[in-house]
């Protein structure tokens, strides 16, 4: 018998995914706000190691959901939080962060070298000098980001037993590399599919403007372990947005664009491998995208409205073949970044 | 206090090490905890012949923990004027990490309480056992699978059923150890996290009574343990287990035995593995144990 206990905070109640059957052998791990899990674990571990006392200010450079997760945690802890962001942050999201008590500091000018990312880090350093008692979680390099996903692996094997394939989007590397590392202790043959987007440098493409946000990166996080990845897909914005709408219309799952991209790839793989149990990580909900992905007029105006999903990805035999505006696939085969691209990984200072 | 006395008897299972042992995050704190692999044919039995105003004596070698357990039980039951003889018999190998010590202790507690006509629950027996020997195995719970904090004497989680049945080819790989002489493993934070999915899959294994899943959990825990008390021949035995259609390898985490797991009734796999272990490694497997007595239902 299992007894239902209280949650000691909304963080505990919301940080773990619900596992939902989407098709015969396809299951979605649907998070309310995925970044709560690593943010919570990183702060807990920092407290354990005495990097964080009751009055420590948390500082971070982010314009995404990691910032929202930190803001929720710091509000409950009654702890000051400084989030450094850039003008791309959306107004409603900023209001929510500030209502949680976060100081949102917007840098107005990109640096000549390194753009907004560099400018944000320079500003972050200023805050660190100003506040002597501070803690910087650093989700791209902090191993406790990866370590947080033991709980996801626990839920997946507890509810599904053996799993054949894990599909997820890659941004910091935490969710896909963490979940798969913990799963593979038990299931060494697990196949892992990582999803990126054109314009992201994570798997060796040149840096460019990205339409689809919430995955991909313009820097190289050390938390991404390329040797965990069997296969990489790059999903473009327009395709991901249509898949997001399909997920909503057909499965009533109201999700963001990263979830759409992940669903598209996972469904394709699961249908080609019937009988293989496939799990797709669905990172966050759709509320932030009502006026964009869920608005046909916006899609039309941006030239991102599509009526039909491609049946299959473009097969890229080398990174040079990866198209900028379509869904494509590449056999990474658990190789290092250097082995595939011939370039060094993680040379960027911008972490 | 004067009490009705008769000759009491008690018994306990031994086990073949653990399916899982580690540092478990539970309700915001970390606990050293384990899930044992029961072997119903391994048993300790004890009898207690009470004698008023006599000293307590224990026959059979160095059973000092059994004597302490008897004293603690008498004290708990508020009996001060009774001693007598305790006899313990066991077929559990001593010092191999197979629960010989706890089984003696639990059988003794059972014999003493039986003599005094008192029924102790497994949780109470567990607390006396830990007081008598510092760290105990959860054999007092019979074959019910539990996650047990072996140094606190308390249950962290009831898994709700016995482990799925398996057959187990037992191999002594050498280097018997005394549990209390071993340094406590210092797990990294990544290793502590790693035990969560192991518990997740173990819950599914018990719920679905799926021996394959049990084998995966045992194997993963054994691998983590290789950093602390590495078992010689571990990788060779794992390879033989895989070649012969086995489910995984399980170890006594602070002992000297390794178990090759097979579906219950897979005599062929066990027999081939036994021969391969002799031929390739020069070891003599001790034999095949069953984790549970096969059900014999006569209609």
């Amino acid at each position: 018998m299992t007894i239902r206990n209280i949650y000691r905070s909304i963080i505990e109640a919301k940080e773990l995914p619900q596992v939902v059957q989407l098709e015969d052998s396809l299951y979605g791990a649907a998070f309310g706000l995925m970044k709560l899990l690593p943010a919570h674990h990183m702060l807990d571990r920092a407290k354990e190691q005495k990097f964080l006392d009751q009055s420590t200010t948390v500082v971070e450079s982010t314009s995404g959901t990691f910032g929202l997760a930190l803001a929720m945690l710091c509000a409950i802890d009654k702890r000051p939080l400084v989030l450094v962001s850039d003008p791309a942050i959306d107004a409603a999201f900023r209001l929510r962060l500030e209502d949680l008590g976060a100081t949102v500091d917007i840098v107005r000018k990109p640096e000549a070298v390194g753009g907004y990312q560099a400018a944000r880090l320079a500003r972050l350093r200023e805050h660190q000098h100003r506040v002597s008692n501070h803690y910087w979680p650093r989700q791209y390099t902090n191993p406790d980001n990866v370590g947080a996903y033991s709980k996801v692996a626990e839920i997946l094997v507890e509810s599904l037993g053996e799993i054949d394939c894990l599909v997820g989007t890659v941004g910091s590397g935490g969710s896909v590399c963490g979940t798969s590392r913990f799963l593979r202790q038990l299931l060494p043959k697990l196949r892992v599919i990582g999803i990126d987007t054109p314009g992201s440098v994570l798997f060796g493409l040149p840096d460019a403007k990205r339409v689809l946000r919430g995955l991909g990166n313009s820097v190289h996080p050390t938390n991404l372990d390329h040797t965990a990845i069997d296969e990489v897909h790059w999903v473009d914005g327009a395709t991901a947005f249509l898949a997001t709408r399909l997920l909503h219309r057909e499965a009533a799952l109201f999700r963001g664009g990263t979830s759409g991209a992940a669903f598209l790839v996972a469904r394709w793989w699961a249908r080609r491998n019937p009988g293989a149990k496939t799990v797709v990580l669905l990172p966050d909900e759709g509320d932030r995208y009502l006026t964009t992905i869920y608005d046909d007029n916006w899609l039309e105006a941006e030239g991102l409205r599509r009526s039909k999903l491609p049946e299959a990805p473009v097969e890229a035999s080398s990174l040079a073949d990866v198209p900028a505006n379509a869904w494509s696939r590449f056999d990474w085969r658990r190789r290092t970044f250097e082995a595939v691209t011939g370039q060094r990984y993680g040379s960027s200072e911008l972490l | 206090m004067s009490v009705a006395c008769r000759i009491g008897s008690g018994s306990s299972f031994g086990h073949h090490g653990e399916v899982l042992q580690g540092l478990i995050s539970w309700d915001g704190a970390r606990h050293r905890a384990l899930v044992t692999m029961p072997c119903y044919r391994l048993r300790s039995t004890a009898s207690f012949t009470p004698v008023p105003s006599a000293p307590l004596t224990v026959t059979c070698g160095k059973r000092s923990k059994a004597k302490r357990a008897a004293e603690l039980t008498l004290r708990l039951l508020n009996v001060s004027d009774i001693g007598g003889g305790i006899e313990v018999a066991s077929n559990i190998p001593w010092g191999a990490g197979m629960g010989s010590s706890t089984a003696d202790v639990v059988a003794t507690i059972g014999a003493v309480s039986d003599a005094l006509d008192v029924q102790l629950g497994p949780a109470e027996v567990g607390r006396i056992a830990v007081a008598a020997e510092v760290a105990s195995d959860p054999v007092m719970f019979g074959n019910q699978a539990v996650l047990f904090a072996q140094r606190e004497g308390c249950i962290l989680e009831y898994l709700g059923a016995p482990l799925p049945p398996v057959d187990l080819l037992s191999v002594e790989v050498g280097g018997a150890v005394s549990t209390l002489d071993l340094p406590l493993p210092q797990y990294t934070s990544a290793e502590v996290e790693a035990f969560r999915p192991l518990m997740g899959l173990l819950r599914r294994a018990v719920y679905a009574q799926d021996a394959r899943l049990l084998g995966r959990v045992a194997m993963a825990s054994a691998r983590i343990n290789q950093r602390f008390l590495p078992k010689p021949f571990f990788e060779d035995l794992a390879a033989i287990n895989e070649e012969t259609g086995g489910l995984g390898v399980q170890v006594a985490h602070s002992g000297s035995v390794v178990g090759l797991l097979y579906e219950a009734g897979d005599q062929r796999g066990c027999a081939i593995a036994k021969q391969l272990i002799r031929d390739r490694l020069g070891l003599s497997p001790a034999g095949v144990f069953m984790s549970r007595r096969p059900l014999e239902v006569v209609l």
Side-chain angles (χ1 to χ4, degrees):
Chain A
M1 186 192 73
T2 312
I3 191 147
R4 271 171 261 239
N5 270 317
I6 57 148
Y7 295 105
R8 271 165 297 201
S9 72
I10 194 64
I11 311 297
E12 277 186 14
K14 296 275 270 188
E15 69 184 352
L16 294 173
Q18 292 167 315
V19 182
V20 181
Q21 185 163 21
L22 298 173
E23 291 191 354
D24 275 352
S25 62
L26 175 61
Y27 303 84
F31 289 85
L33 176 65
M34 188 178 75
K35 293 290 185 187
L36 275 176
L37 186 65
H40 186 192
H41 189 60
M42 280 185 256
L43 293 191
D44 272 1
R45 289 279 301 138
K47 285 175 202 169
E48 237 174 76
Q49 296 167 89
K50 312 269 184 252
F51 297 152
L52 202 62
D53 62 36
Q54 282 184 333
S55 57
T56 307
T57 299
V58 174
V59 297
E60 186 56 284
S61 159
T62 172
S63 52
T65 50
F66 185 59
L68 177 59
L70 287 175
M72 291 172 71
L73 283 154
C74 290
I76 289 170
D77 269 4
K78 302 188 175 20
R79 175 189 299 293
L81 169 68
V82 176
L83 296 172
V84 180
S85 191
D86 57 46
I89 190 168
D90 81 72
F93 189 63
R94 180 180 175 174
L95 289 176
R96 191 168 167 198
L97 296 174
E98 288 175 339
D99 204 44
L100 285 162
T103 302
V104 181
D105 185 9
I106 309 284
V107 297
R108 295 290 162 198
K109 264 176 46 193
E111 297 275 332
V113 179
Y116 274 118
Q117 192 91 12
R120 275 161 41 171
L121 281 163
R123 184 69 60 84
L124 186 84
R125 296 244 149 73
E126 287 171 27
H127 286 287
Q128 288 176 307
H129 283 297
R130 188 175 53 76
V131 190
S132 58
N133 183 4
H134 66 262
Y135 170 70
W136 181 19
R138 305 184 76 152
Q139 64 159 333
Y140 292 166
T141 58
N142 186 338
D144 292 322
N145 173 3
V146 182
Y149 289 90
S150 60
K151 290 183 178 175
V152 177
E154 178 184 7
I155 290 176
L156 293 178
V157 292
E158 186 175 325
S159 50
L160 293 168
E162 292 182 343
I163 298 163
D164 300 290
C165 179
L166 178 75
V167 182
T169 53
V170 184
S172 72
S175 63
V176 169
C177 298
T179 309
S180 65
R181 185 219 278 168
F182 288 113
L183 287 175
R184 277 187 178 145
Q185 306 178 90
L186 293 157
L187 310 166
K189 291 187 177 139
L190 177 79
R191 185 168 187 83
V192 176
I193 301 180
I195 302 172
D196 196 2
T197 190
S200 154
V201 302
L202 289 175
F203 291 93
L205 297 192
D207 190 21
K209 190 173 182 308
R210 286 171 275 139
V211 173
L212 180 60
R213 308 300 299 187
L215 78 172
N217 216 316
S218 52
V219 294
H220 285 163
T222 54
N223 276 335
L224 170 54
D225 171 11
H226 292 83
T227 66
I229 309 289
D230 291 295
E231 161 174 352
V232 178
H233 289 241
W234 289 270
V235 181
D236 62 294
T239 306
F241 296 160
L242 182 57
T244 307
R245 299 288 295 273
L246 187 79
L247 183 60
H248 189 215
R249 283 189 290 229
E250 293 189 358
L253 272 156
F254 180 53
R255 313 293 306 174
T258 50
S259 296
F263 169 66
L264 171 79
V265 172
R267 189 179 69 156
W268 170 80
W269 198 89
R271 286 183 178 178
R272 287 215 330 175
N273 297 274
K277 228 182 265 176
T278 305
V279 174
V280 55
L281 302 178
L282 305 170
D284 74 339
E285 294 184 333
D287 315 63
R288 290 177 66 202
Y289 313 97
L290 276 171
T291 56
T292 52
I293 299 171
Y294 287 91
D295 179 353
D296 288 340
N297 294 328
W298 181 86
L299 289 172
E300 192 76 59
E302 296 289 320
L304 296 168
R305 190 165 178 196
R306 301 284 181 277
S307 56
K308 198 166 172 293
L309 281 175
E311 303 249 314
V314 175
E315 294 287 332
S317 51
S318 76
L319 295 183
D321 297 341
V322 173
N325 289 307
W327 164 28
S328 61
R329 173 190 173 280
F330 177 74
D331 265 323
W332 191 273
R333 297 203 304 270
R334 301 196 193 186
R335 287 172 290 174
T336 62
F337 184 84
E338 212 172 320
V340 175
T341 65
Q343 291 160 20
R344 232 183 93 212
Y345 183 75
S347 50
S348 166
E349 299 298 309
L350 302 179
L351 292 169
Chain B
M1 158 182 156
S2 90
V3 283
C5 283
R6 55 182 161 101
I7 295 176
S9 63
S11 72
S12 169
F13 286 109
H15 60 74
H16 196 274
E18 299 75 31
V19 172
L20 176 157
Q21 178 171 333
L23 193 59
I24 308 285
S25 297
W26 185 81
D27 200 24
R30 290 173 176 180
H31 304 262
R32 292 186 185 274
L34 49 80
V35 178
T36 54
M37 172 65 83
C39 278
Y40 84 93
R41 280 199 179 137
L42 295 171
R43 281 186 100 75
S44 284
T45 54
S47 69
F48 175 51
T49 310
V51 179
S53 309
L56 260 183
T57 56
V58 179
T59 56
C60 185
K62 44 168 189 174
R63 309 280 181 182
S64 65
K65 289 174 178 174
K67 185 174 180 194
R68 179 146 172 71
E71 288 164 357
L72 285 167
T73 311
L74 288 170
R75 198 187 306 162
L76 180 88
L77 299 176
N78 226 356
V79 175
S80 57
D81 54 349
I82 284 181
I86 296 161
E87 275 183 58
V88 184
S90 175
N91 67 348
I92 307 170
W94 188 260
M98 298 167 80
S100 56
S101 165
T102 303
D104 286 358
V105 162
V106 169
T108 302
I109 296 167
V112 172
S113 53
D114 182 43
L116 301 170
D117 206 19
V118 175
Q119 299 282 316
L120 294 177
E124 290 160 308
V125 175
R127 278 195 295 276
I128 301 172
V130 169
E133 57 169 357
V134 181
S136 289
D137 300 307
V139 288
M140 60 296 285
F141 294 89
N143 69 357
Q144 287 298 309
V146 294
L147 176 66
F148 187 70
Q150 72 269 26
R151 289 174 173 267
E152 300 160 61
C154 65
I155 296 225
L156 301 183
E157 186 172 334
Y158 289 90
L159 289 158
L163 296 176
V166 286
D167 284 358
L168 182 157
L169 180 60
S170 173
V171 189
E172 164 73 48
V173 291
V177 274
S178 161
T179 312
L180 294 183
D181 293 343
L182 279 178
L184 285 176
Q186 298 303 314
Y187 298 99
T188 64
S189 121
E191 281 164 342
V192 175
E193 290 307 317
F195 287 113
R196 290 183 196 277
L198 268 60
M199 276 306 297
L201 193 60
L202 186 61
R203 290 182 199 110
R204 175 58 47 177
V206 170
Y207 175 83
Q209 288 293 295
D210 185 334
R212 276 164 52 89
L213 302 184
L214 181 74
R216 292 189 177 281
V217 175
M219 187 78 183
S221 184
R223 274 203 197 287
I224 294 172
N225 196 61
Q226 281 300 88
R227 198 164 81 71
F228 302 104
L229 185 68
K231 301 287 178 283
F233 308 108
F234 179 80
E235 293 301 336
D236 304 298
L237 291 168
I240 289 173
N241 181 251
E242 196 174 349
E243 273 174 64
T244 51
L247 308 173
V249 164
Q250 165 273 335
V251 300
H253 288 63
S254 53
S256 55
V257 285
V258 174
L260 281 67
L261 303 180
Y262 292 87
E263 296 276 2
D266 182 2
Q267 290 168 4
R268 191 168 168 272
C270 286
I272 301 172
K274 207 165 176 173
Q275 195 58 48
L276 287 175
I277 291 168
R278 285 208 186 93
D279 295 350
R280 282 191 206 163
L281 310 178
L283 298 171
S284 313
V288 178
F289 293 111
M290 281 168 276
S291 64
R292 268 203 238 168
R293 187 192 297 274
L295 281 177
E296 288 163 30
V297 182
V298 182
L299 293 175

